[in-house]
Amino acid sequence: MHICAMSSNSSAVPAYAVLCSGGGSNLQALLDRSASGELPGRCAWVVANNRDAFALERARAAGVPAHHVSTRTEGSDDGVGRKLVELIDQHNVRLLVLAGYMRVVPQAVLHRLPGRIVNIHPALLPAFGGKGMYGHHVHEAVLARGAQWTGVTIHLVTESYDEGPILRQRVVAVRPSDTPQSLGERVLRVEHDTLWREVRALLAQEA
Ligand code: GRF
């Protein structure tokens, strides 16, 4: 009886899920805010396309189901799409968060959660986005161009890479002394304080 009460309680909290490819520090920021109660949503599962992604370890340490899902495990891009849709449906996921996910989101997933998939990008889109603009490449390009401002963008994921409607941005000043690494670290800290706020806002729309 007690177990039933607990599970119905947890299913009353809206569920989000996270796709990652690497370290998962943004995932960690979400898990921490969910654990503290500041983010009233539970992370239903984490998927990485890379078996060795540290993000999967972070999920397991937080007691969140962690899955390696890739063309290698599912056989094809369509297989990846089917598996993700299955996970979305099984856990009643209402919001999918891309936090450092380095793959294109399959069409089947875009159709399953229209307007409910977000990505975080470490610059002020539409500048410094698109093909090749990931990780340190973004911060190198910002410095090479002499931009004085960069930042963080959270946007809806659509079929066009980095081009979906912008939901939230935060500005970060570029310092004359910045290296790609120092700038990237400062932007990442702002990412950690931004993503959970947007996830909270989007999940509140479900309530
Ligand atoms: C972040 O900079 C994010 O904006 C970008 O990929 C990076 C992921 O970092 N999409 P982490 O895995 O969350 O540490």
Side-chain angles (χ1 to χ4, degrees):
M1 286 299 278
H2 186 58
I3 290 171
C4 287
M6 277 177 65
S7 67
S8 68
N9 243 351
S10 73
S11 64
V13 178
Y16 63 93
V18 184
L19 300 183
C20 298
S21 295
S25 68
N26 276 289
L27 165 68
Q28 189 67 57
L30 292 177
L31 294 174
D32 291 347
R33 300 289 181 167
S34 280
S36 72
E38 290 163 285
L39 170 55
R42 71 192 162 86
C43 184
W45 46 260
V46 172
V47 156
N49 62 295
N50 165 7
R51 194 185 48 190
D52 301 326
F54 188 59
L56 293 177
E57 284 188 37
R58 292 182 189 272
R60 289 184 196 112
V64 171
H67 307 277
H68 169 216
V69 176
S70 69
T71 50
R72 195 168 293 181
T73 62
E74 309 306 316
S76 65
D77 287 332
D78 283 352
V80 170
R82 276 194 298 275
K83 179 67 181 177
L84 292 176
V85 168
E86 187 186 306
L87 285 168
I88 288 165
D89 290 345
Q90 268 173 8
H91 295 263
N92 196 23
V93 166
R94 301 306 307 137
L95 179 70
L96 187 59
V97 181
L98 275 57
Y101 188 59
M102 303 292 288
R103 289 286 179 277
V104 171
V105 178
Q107 288 278 339
V109 177
L110 293 175
H111 290 148
R112 189 68 193 87
L113 285 177
R116 304 294 293 172
I117 307 177
V118 298
N119 178 50
I120 184 160
H121 184 79
L124 294 174
L125 291 175
F128 304 109
K131 207 166 159 44
M133 282 294 140
Y134 61 89
H136 63 95
H137 300 292
V138 177
H139 309 299
E140 281 164 10
V142 166
L143 292 174
R145 191 64 188 268
Q148 295 175 14
W149 304 97
T150 184
V152 174
T153 301
I154 298 171
H155 65 94
L156 285 179
V157 174
T158 62
E159 289 167 24
S160 311
Y161 197 72
D162 280 348
E163 285 179 19
I166 290 168
L167 302 178
R168 188 180 291 248
Q169 290 187 309
R170 295 262 298 270
V171 169
V172 173
V174 178
R175 296 177 186 156
S177 59
D178 265 326
T179 62
Q181 187 176 344
S182 67
L183 184 57
E185 286 169 1
R186 221 157 56 253
V187 169
L188 193 59
R189 279 200 294 278
V190 176
E191 291 186 53
H192 297 163
D193 187 54
T194 305
L195 185 56
W196 73 276
R197 295 176 193 278
E198 187 56 32
V199 170
R200 180 178 61 177
L202 289 166
L203 289 179
Q205 294 171 359
E206 295 282 323

